[in-house]
Amino acid sequence: MAIERTFSIIKPNAVAKNVIGNIFARFETAGLKIVATKMVHLSSEQAQGFYAEHAGKPFFDGLVAFMTSGPIVVSALEGEDAVRRHREILGATNPANALAGTLRADYADSLTENGTHGSDSVESAAREIAYFFAEGEVCPRTR
Ligand code: IDP
Protein backbone atom coordinates (compact mmCIF):
# COMPACT_ATOMS: atom_id res chain seq x y z
CA MET A 1 0.00 0.00 0.00
CA ALA A 2 1.36 3.43 -0.94
CA ILE A 3 2.44 6.03 1.60
CA GLU A 4 0.22 9.07 0.98
CA ARG A 5 -0.30 12.53 2.41
CA THR A 6 -3.67 13.96 3.20
CA PHE A 7 -4.95 17.26 4.57
CA SER A 8 -7.07 17.71 7.67
CA ILE A 9 -9.04 20.60 9.15
CA ILE A 10 -10.43 20.66 12.66
CA LYS A 11 -13.25 23.14 11.98
CA PRO A 12 -14.28 26.03 14.29
CA ASN A 13 -17.03 24.10 16.10
CA ALA A 14 -14.69 21.22 16.97
CA VAL A 15 -11.95 23.62 18.12
CA ALA A 16 -14.59 25.30 20.32
CA LYS A 17 -15.42 21.90 21.87
CA ASN A 18 -11.77 21.66 23.02
CA VAL A 19 -11.18 18.27 21.38
CA ILE A 20 -8.07 18.99 19.27
CA GLY A 21 -5.96 16.50 21.25
CA ASN A 22 -8.68 13.88 21.13
CA ILE A 23 -8.93 14.20 17.33
CA PHE A 24 -5.14 14.04 16.92
CA ALA A 25 -5.15 10.92 19.14
CA ARG A 26 -7.60 9.21 16.78
CA PHE A 27 -5.33 9.96 13.82
CA GLU A 28 -2.23 8.76 15.65
CA THR A 29 -3.94 5.63 16.99
CA ALA A 30 -4.80 4.77 13.38
CA GLY A 31 -1.13 5.13 12.43
CA LEU A 32 -1.44 8.46 10.62
CA LYS A 33 1.50 10.76 11.39
CA ILE A 34 1.17 14.54 11.70
CA VAL A 35 3.82 16.05 9.40
CA ALA A 36 2.65 19.69 9.62
CA THR A 37 0.14 21.52 11.77
CA LYS A 38 -0.92 25.01 12.83
CA MET A 39 -3.90 26.99 14.10
CA VAL A 40 -5.25 29.73 11.83
CA HIS A 41 -8.26 32.05 11.75
CA LEU A 42 -9.31 32.24 8.10
CA SER A 43 -10.28 35.46 6.36
CA SER A 44 -13.35 35.33 4.09
CA GLU A 45 -11.02 35.44 1.08
CA GLN A 46 -9.02 32.45 2.36
CA ALA A 47 -12.17 30.43 3.07
CA GLN A 48 -13.67 31.30 -0.34
CA GLY A 49 -10.43 30.26 -2.03
CA PHE A 50 -10.21 26.98 -0.16
CA TYR A 51 -13.81 26.06 -1.02
CA ALA A 52 -13.75 27.57 -4.54
CA GLU A 53 -15.21 24.37 -6.05
CA HIS A 54 -18.42 25.05 -4.08
CA ALA A 55 -18.76 28.74 -5.11
CA GLY A 56 -22.32 29.50 -6.22
CA LYS A 57 -23.90 26.58 -4.34
CA PRO A 58 -26.73 27.46 -1.94
CA PHE A 59 -24.66 26.53 1.12
CA PHE A 60 -21.49 28.41 0.07
CA ASP A 61 -22.01 31.69 1.98
CA GLY A 62 -23.02 29.82 5.13
CA LEU A 63 -19.99 27.57 4.82
CA VAL A 64 -17.66 30.58 4.48
CA ALA A 65 -19.34 32.33 7.45
CA PHE A 66 -18.91 29.18 9.55
CA MET A 67 -15.29 28.55 8.53
CA THR A 68 -14.35 32.14 9.47
CA SER A 69 -16.29 32.12 12.76
CA GLY A 70 -13.31 31.00 14.85
CA PRO A 71 -9.87 29.42 14.67
CA ILE A 72 -9.27 26.12 12.89
CA VAL A 73 -6.42 23.61 13.03
CA VAL A 74 -4.94 22.62 9.67
CA SER A 75 -2.65 19.61 9.40
CA ALA A 76 -0.92 17.40 6.87
CA LEU A 77 -1.02 13.70 7.72
CA GLU A 78 1.15 10.95 6.31
CA GLY A 79 0.64 7.19 6.23
CA GLU A 80 -0.36 4.15 4.21
CA ASP A 81 -3.58 4.74 2.27
CA ALA A 82 -3.88 8.00 4.23
CA VAL A 83 -6.59 9.71 2.12
CA ARG A 84 -9.11 6.87 2.41
CA ARG A 85 -8.27 5.97 6.01
CA HIS A 86 -8.50 9.59 7.18
CA ARG A 87 -11.95 9.98 5.61
CA GLU A 88 -13.00 6.72 7.22
CA ILE A 89 -12.08 8.18 10.63
CA LEU A 90 -14.07 11.37 9.82
CA GLY A 91 -17.23 9.57 8.70
CA ALA A 92 -19.86 10.72 6.20
CA THR A 93 -20.09 14.44 5.26
CA ASN A 94 -23.65 14.55 6.60
CA PRO A 95 -23.48 13.61 10.29
CA ALA A 96 -26.92 12.02 9.98
CA ASN A 97 -25.17 9.33 7.91
CA ALA A 98 -21.94 9.13 9.94
CA LEU A 99 -21.24 5.74 11.53
CA ALA A 100 -20.95 5.50 15.31
CA GLY A 101 -17.39 6.06 16.47
CA THR A 102 -16.49 8.44 13.64
CA LEU A 103 -15.45 12.01 14.36
CA ARG A 104 -18.48 13.47 12.63
CA ALA A 105 -20.83 11.24 14.63
CA ASP A 106 -19.14 12.55 17.78
CA TYR A 107 -18.42 16.21 17.01
CA ALA A 108 -20.62 17.46 14.13
CA ASP A 109 -23.44 19.87 14.93
CA SER A 110 -25.00 19.98 11.43
CA LEU A 111 -24.22 19.26 7.78
CA THR A 112 -22.29 22.54 7.48
CA GLU A 113 -20.82 22.49 10.99
CA ASN A 114 -19.58 18.93 10.62
CA GLY A 115 -16.42 19.32 12.70
CA THR A 116 -13.71 18.12 10.35
CA HIS A 117 -12.47 18.14 6.78
CA GLY A 118 -10.42 15.53 4.94
CA SER A 119 -9.11 15.58 1.37
CA ASP A 120 -10.99 13.37 -1.09
CA SER A 121 -8.00 12.40 -3.26
CA VAL A 122 -4.20 12.50 -3.34
CA GLU A 123 -4.43 15.34 -5.87
CA SER A 124 -6.78 17.42 -3.68
CA ALA A 125 -4.52 16.71 -0.70
CA ALA A 126 -1.46 18.09 -2.49
CA ARG A 127 -3.38 21.24 -3.48
CA GLU A 128 -4.88 21.73 -0.02
CA ILE A 129 -1.58 21.17 1.81
CA ALA A 130 0.09 23.71 -0.49
CA TYR A 131 -2.75 26.18 0.24
CA PHE A 132 -1.65 26.35 3.89
CA PHE A 133 1.95 25.16 4.13
CA ALA A 134 5.20 26.08 2.40
CA GLU A 135 7.22 23.06 1.28
CA GLY A 136 9.73 23.46 4.11
CA GLU A 137 6.96 23.42 6.72
CA VAL A 138 6.03 19.79 5.96
CA CYS A 139 8.35 17.33 7.71
CA PRO A 140 8.36 13.79 6.22
CA ARG A 141 8.23 11.04 8.89
CA THR A 142 8.04 7.85 6.85
CA ARG A 143 11.03 6.61 4.85
P1 IDP B 1 -16.40 16.82 2.42
O1 IDP B 1 -16.01 17.91 3.42
O2 IDP B 1 -16.90 15.59 3.13
O3 IDP B 1 -15.35 16.51 1.39
P2 IDP B 1 -17.83 18.43 0.44
O4 IDP B 1 -18.94 17.93 -0.42
O5 IDP B 1 -16.51 18.74 -0.22
O6 IDP B 1 -17.67 17.38 1.64
O7 IDP B 1 -18.36 19.76 1.15
C1 IDP B 1 -17.50 20.62 1.82
C2 IDP B 1 -18.17 21.08 3.09
O8 IDP B 1 -19.30 21.90 2.77
C3 IDP B 1 -18.76 19.94 3.96
O9 IDP B 1 -17.80 19.35 4.80
C4 IDP B 1 -19.83 20.69 4.74
O10 IDP B 1 -19.23 21.46 5.80
C5 IDP B 1 -20.35 21.66 3.70
N1 IDP B 1 -21.50 21.13 2.94
C6 IDP B 1 -21.46 20.24 1.93
N2 IDP B 1 -22.69 20.00 1.43
C7 IDP B 1 -23.53 20.80 2.12
C8 IDP B 1 -24.95 21.03 2.03
O11 IDP B 1 -25.68 20.44 1.23
N3 IDP B 1 -25.45 21.92 2.94
C9 IDP B 1 -24.69 22.60 3.83
N4 IDP B 1 -23.33 22.42 3.92
C10 IDP B 1 -22.76 21.52 3.08
PDB file of all heavy atoms in Angstrom, residues 3-23:
ATOM      1  N   ILE A   3       2.430   4.968   0.596  1.00  0.00           N
ATOM      2  CA  ILE A   3       2.438   6.026   1.603  1.00  0.00           C
ATOM      3  C   ILE A   3       1.882   7.287   0.939  1.00  0.00           C
ATOM      4  O   ILE A   3       2.358   7.693  -0.131  1.00  0.00           O
ATOM      5  CB  ILE A   3       3.877   6.308   2.102  1.00  0.00           C
ATOM      6  CG1 ILE A   3       4.487   5.070   2.756  1.00  0.00           C
ATOM      7  CG2 ILE A   3       3.875   7.506   3.058  1.00  0.00           C
ATOM      8  CD1 ILE A   3       3.858   4.670   4.068  1.00  0.00           C
ATOM      9  N   GLU A   4       0.862   7.867   1.534  1.00  0.00           N
ATOM     10  CA  GLU A   4       0.220   9.069   0.983  1.00  0.00           C
ATOM     11  C   GLU A   4       0.252  10.194   2.020  1.00  0.00           C
ATOM     12  O   GLU A   4       0.446   9.952   3.203  1.00  0.00           O
ATOM     13  CB  GLU A   4      -1.256   8.782   0.660  1.00  0.00           C
ATOM     14  CG  GLU A   4      -1.477   7.776  -0.431  1.00  0.00           C
ATOM     15  CD  GLU A   4      -2.949   7.437  -0.628  1.00  0.00           C
ATOM     16  OE1 GLU A   4      -3.802   7.811   0.224  1.00  0.00           O
ATOM     17  OE2 GLU A   4      -3.245   6.781  -1.621  1.00  0.00           O
ATOM     18  N   ARG A   5      -0.017  11.406   1.512  1.00  0.00           N
ATOM     19  CA  ARG A   5      -0.297  12.527   2.408  1.00  0.00           C
ATOM     20  C   ARG A   5      -1.733  12.956   2.210  1.00  0.00           C
ATOM     21  O   ARG A   5      -2.246  12.918   1.095  1.00  0.00           O
ATOM     22  CB  ARG A   5       0.619  13.708   2.087  1.00  0.00           C
ATOM     23  CG  ARG A   5       1.982  13.517   2.686  1.00  0.00           C
ATOM     24  CD  ARG A   5       2.817  14.756   2.529  1.00  0.00           C
ATOM     25  NE  ARG A   5       4.163  14.448   2.966  1.00  0.00           N
ATOM     26  CZ  ARG A   5       5.233  15.164   2.661  1.00  0.00           C
ATOM     27  NH1 ARG A   5       5.104  16.239   1.900  1.00  0.00           N
ATOM     28  NH2 ARG A   5       6.419  14.814   3.103  1.00  0.00           N
ATOM     29  N   THR A   6      -2.345  13.387   3.303  1.00  0.00           N
ATOM     30  CA  THR A   6      -3.675  13.962   3.195  1.00  0.00           C
ATOM     31  C   THR A   6      -3.731  15.229   4.044  1.00  0.00           C
ATOM     32  O   THR A   6      -2.792  15.531   4.781  1.00  0.00           O
ATOM     33  CB  THR A   6      -4.777  12.953   3.579  1.00  0.00           C
ATOM     34  OG1 THR A   6      -6.039  13.473   3.180  1.00  0.00           O
ATOM     35  CG2 THR A   6      -4.790  12.650   5.075  1.00  0.00           C
ATOM     36  N   PHE A   7      -4.821  15.966   3.898  1.00  0.00           N
ATOM     37  CA  PHE A   7      -4.952  17.262   4.570  1.00  0.00           C
ATOM     38  C   PHE A   7      -6.184  17.243   5.462  1.00  0.00           C
ATOM     39  O   PHE A   7      -7.251  16.789   5.042  1.00  0.00           O
ATOM     40  CB  PHE A   7      -5.062  18.372   3.524  1.00  0.00           C
ATOM     41  CG  PHE A   7      -5.284  19.724   4.121  1.00  0.00           C
ATOM     42  CD1 PHE A   7      -4.272  20.386   4.790  1.00  0.00           C
ATOM     43  CD2 PHE A   7      -6.525  20.332   4.034  1.00  0.00           C
ATOM     44  CE1 PHE A   7      -4.483  21.632   5.369  1.00  0.00           C
ATOM     45  CE2 PHE A   7      -6.751  21.577   4.594  1.00  0.00           C
ATOM     46  CZ  PHE A   7      -5.720  22.223   5.260  1.00  0.00           C
ATOM     47  N   SER A   8      -6.013  17.749   6.661  1.00  0.00           N
ATOM     48  CA  SER A   8      -7.071  17.706   7.673  1.00  0.00           C
ATOM     49  C   SER A   8      -7.383  19.105   8.191  1.00  0.00           C
ATOM     50  O   SER A   8      -6.466  19.913   8.379  1.00  0.00           O
ATOM     51  CB  SER A   8      -6.559  16.833   8.827  1.00  0.00           C
ATOM     52  OG  SER A   8      -7.103  17.231  10.058  1.00  0.00           O
ATOM     53  N   ILE A   9      -8.653  19.384   8.406  1.00  0.00           N
ATOM     54  CA  ILE A   9      -9.040  20.595   9.149  1.00  0.00           C
ATOM     55  C   ILE A   9      -9.903  20.185  10.340  1.00  0.00           C
ATOM     56  O   ILE A   9     -10.862  19.416  10.181  1.00  0.00           O
ATOM     57  CB  ILE A   9      -9.850  21.596   8.295  1.00  0.00           C
ATOM     58  CG1 ILE A   9      -9.069  22.054   7.068  1.00  0.00           C
ATOM     59  CG2 ILE A   9     -10.250  22.809   9.140  1.00  0.00           C
ATOM     60  CD1 ILE A   9      -9.846  23.048   6.183  1.00  0.00           C
ATOM     61  N   ILE A  10      -9.529  20.700  11.505  1.00  0.00           N
ATOM     62  CA  ILE A  10     -10.429  20.663  12.656  1.00  0.00           C
ATOM     63  C   ILE A  10     -11.168  21.996  12.609  1.00  0.00           C
ATOM     64  O   ILE A  10     -10.572  23.063  12.757  1.00  0.00           O
ATOM     65  CB  ILE A  10      -9.660  20.471  13.978  1.00  0.00           C
ATOM     66  CG1 ILE A  10      -8.838  19.166  13.920  1.00  0.00           C
ATOM     67  CG2 ILE A  10     -10.638  20.449  15.160  1.00  0.00           C
ATOM     68  CD1 ILE A  10      -7.962  18.927  15.146  1.00  0.00           C
ATOM     69  N   LYS A  11     -12.464  21.937  12.287  1.00  0.00           N
ATOM     70  CA  LYS A  11     -13.249  23.137  11.981  1.00  0.00           C
ATOM     71  C   LYS A  11     -13.596  23.912  13.264  1.00  0.00           C
ATOM     72  O   LYS A  11     -13.447  23.384  14.371  1.00  0.00           O
ATOM     73  CB  LYS A  11     -14.503  22.722  11.194  1.00  0.00           C
ATOM     74  CG  LYS A  11     -14.172  22.110   9.818  1.00  0.00           C
ATOM     75  CD  LYS A  11     -15.435  21.809   9.006  1.00  0.00           C
ATOM     76  CE  LYS A  11     -15.085  21.209   7.660  1.00  0.00           C
ATOM     77  NZ  LYS A  11     -16.295  20.959   6.826  1.00  0.00           N
ATOM     78  N   PRO A  12     -14.079  25.173  13.119  1.00  0.00           N
ATOM     79  CA  PRO A  12     -14.285  26.030  14.293  1.00  0.00           C
ATOM     80  C   PRO A  12     -15.137  25.409  15.400  1.00  0.00           C
ATOM     81  O   PRO A  12     -14.853  25.608  16.586  1.00  0.00           O
ATOM     82  CB  PRO A  12     -14.977  27.276  13.712  1.00  0.00           C
ATOM     83  CG  PRO A  12     -14.503  27.341  12.306  1.00  0.00           C
ATOM     84  CD  PRO A  12     -14.386  25.900  11.857  1.00  0.00           C
ATOM     85  N   ASN A  13     -16.174  24.657  15.039  1.00  0.00           N
ATOM     86  CA  ASN A  13     -17.032  24.105  16.102  1.00  0.00           C
ATOM     87  C   ASN A  13     -16.304  23.028  16.901  1.00  0.00           C
ATOM     88  O   ASN A  13     -16.487  22.917  18.117  1.00  0.00           O
ATOM     89  CB  ASN A  13     -18.360  23.588  15.538  1.00  0.00           C
ATOM     90  CG  ASN A  13     -18.215  22.417  14.597  1.00  0.00           C
ATOM     91  OD1 ASN A  13     -17.285  22.373  13.781  1.00  0.00           O
ATOM     92  ND2 ASN A  13     -19.114  21.452  14.686  1.00  0.00           N
ATOM     93  N   ALA A  14     -15.438  22.256  16.239  1.00  0.00           N
ATOM     94  CA  ALA A  14     -14.693  21.221  16.966  1.00  0.00           C
ATOM     95  C   ALA A  14     -13.590  21.846  17.812  1.00  0.00           C
ATOM     96  O   ALA A  14     -13.344  21.406  18.941  1.00  0.00           O
ATOM     97  CB  ALA A  14     -14.125  20.186  15.990  1.00  0.00           C
ATOM     98  N   VAL A  15     -12.931  22.901  17.299  1.00  0.00           N
ATOM     99  CA  VAL A  15     -11.946  23.616  18.120  1.00  0.00           C
ATOM    100  C   VAL A  15     -12.641  24.168  19.364  1.00  0.00           C
ATOM    101  O   VAL A  15     -12.126  24.055  20.490  1.00  0.00           O
ATOM    102  CB  VAL A  15     -11.262  24.744  17.312  1.00  0.00           C
ATOM    103  CG1 VAL A  15     -10.406  25.629  18.223  1.00  0.00           C
ATOM    104  CG2 VAL A  15     -10.396  24.148  16.189  1.00  0.00           C
ATOM    105  N   ALA A  16     -13.849  24.723  19.183  1.00  0.00           N
ATOM    106  CA  ALA A  16     -14.587  25.297  20.317  1.00  0.00           C
ATOM    107  C   ALA A  16     -14.956  24.242  21.357  1.00  0.00           C
ATOM    108  O   ALA A  16     -15.098  24.552  22.540  1.00  0.00           O
ATOM    109  CB  ALA A  16     -15.846  26.007  19.814  1.00  0.00           C
ATOM    110  N   LYS A  17     -15.088  22.989  20.929  1.00  0.00           N
ATOM    111  CA  LYS A  17     -15.419  21.903  21.873  1.00  0.00           C
ATOM    112  C   LYS A  17     -14.185  21.433  22.647  1.00  0.00           C
ATOM    113  O   LYS A  17     -14.290  20.557  23.512  1.00  0.00           O
ATOM    114  CB  LYS A  17     -16.017  20.703  21.110  1.00  0.00           C
ATOM    115  CG  LYS A  17     -17.395  20.936  20.522  1.00  0.00           C
ATOM    116  CD  LYS A  17     -17.832  19.698  19.717  1.00  0.00           C
ATOM    117  CE  LYS A  17     -18.882  20.033  18.679  1.00  0.00           C
ATOM    118  NZ  LYS A  17     -20.230  20.193  19.214  1.00  0.00           N
ATOM    119  N   ASN A  18     -13.005  21.980  22.303  1.00  0.00           N
ATOM    120  CA  ASN A  18     -11.766  21.657  23.023  1.00  0.00           C
ATOM    121  C   ASN A  18     -11.372  20.186  22.857  1.00  0.00           C
ATOM    122  O   ASN A  18     -10.984  19.532  23.838  1.00  0.00           O
ATOM    123  CB  ASN A  18     -11.917  22.019  24.514  1.00  0.00           C
ATOM    124  CG  ASN A  18     -10.612  22.507  25.106  1.00  0.00           C
ATOM    125  OD1 ASN A  18      -9.733  22.983  24.392  1.00  0.00           O
ATOM    126  ND2 ASN A  18     -10.457  22.367  26.412  1.00  0.00           N
ATOM    127  N   VAL A  19     -11.468  19.688  21.624  1.00  0.00           N
ATOM    128  CA  VAL A  19     -11.177  18.271  21.381  1.00  0.00           C
ATOM    129  C   VAL A  19     -10.044  18.083  20.364  1.00  0.00           C
ATOM    130  O   VAL A  19      -9.958  17.040  19.710  1.00  0.00           O
ATOM    131  CB  VAL A  19     -12.450  17.501  20.941  1.00  0.00           C
ATOM    132  CG1 VAL A  19     -13.421  17.393  22.103  1.00  0.00           C
ATOM    133  CG2 VAL A  19     -13.135  18.164  19.739  1.00  0.00           C
ATOM    134  N   ILE A  20      -9.171  19.097  20.240  1.00  0.00           N
ATOM    135  CA  ILE A  20      -8.069  18.989  19.275  1.00  0.00           C
ATOM    136  C   ILE A  20      -7.209  17.757  19.597  1.00  0.00           C
ATOM    137  O   ILE A  20      -6.897  16.950  18.715  1.00  0.00           O
ATOM    138  CB  ILE A  20      -7.196  20.264  19.295  1.00  0.00           C
ATOM    139  CG1 ILE A  20      -8.005  21.477  18.845  1.00  0.00           C
ATOM    140  CG2 ILE A  20      -5.961  20.086  18.413  1.00  0.00           C
ATOM    141  CD1 ILE A  20      -7.310  22.816  19.134  1.00  0.00           C
ATOM    142  N   GLY A  21      -6.828  17.622  20.862  1.00  0.00           N
ATOM    143  CA  GLY A  21      -5.959  16.504  21.251  1.00  0.00           C
ATOM    144  C   GLY A  21      -6.639  15.158  21.033  1.00  0.00           C
ATOM    145  O   GLY A  21      -6.013  14.197  20.581  1.00  0.00           O
ATOM    146  N   ASN A  22      -7.912  15.106  21.327  1.00  0.00           N
ATOM    147  CA  ASN A  22      -8.684  13.881  21.125  1.00  0.00           C
ATOM    148  C   ASN A  22      -8.696  13.491  19.639  1.00  0.00           C
ATOM    149  O   ASN A  22      -8.532  12.317  19.282  1.00  0.00           O
ATOM    150  CB  ASN A  22     -10.107  14.151  21.637  1.00  0.00           C
ATOM    151  CG  ASN A  22     -10.927  12.900  21.770  1.00  0.00           C
ATOM    152  OD1 ASN A  22     -10.622  11.895  21.150  1.00  0.00           O
ATOM    153  ND2 ASN A  22     -11.968  12.965  22.567  1.00  0.00           N
ATOM    154  N   ILE A  23      -8.888  14.480  18.766  1.00  0.00           N
ATOM    155  CA  ILE A  23      -8.927  14.203  17.328  1.00  0.00           C
ATOM    156  C   ILE A  23      -7.542  13.764  16.844  1.00  0.00           C
ATOM    157  O   ILE A  23      -7.408  12.782  16.099  1.00  0.00           O
ATOM    158  CB  ILE A  23      -9.460  15.433  16.562  1.00  0.00           C
ATOM    159  CG1 ILE A  23     -10.949  15.623  16.891  1.00  0.00           C
ATOM    160  CG2 ILE A  23      -9.225  15.293  15.056  1.00  0.00           C
ATOM    161  CD1 ILE A  23     -11.575  16.885  16.327  1.00  0.00           C
TER     162      ILE A  23
END
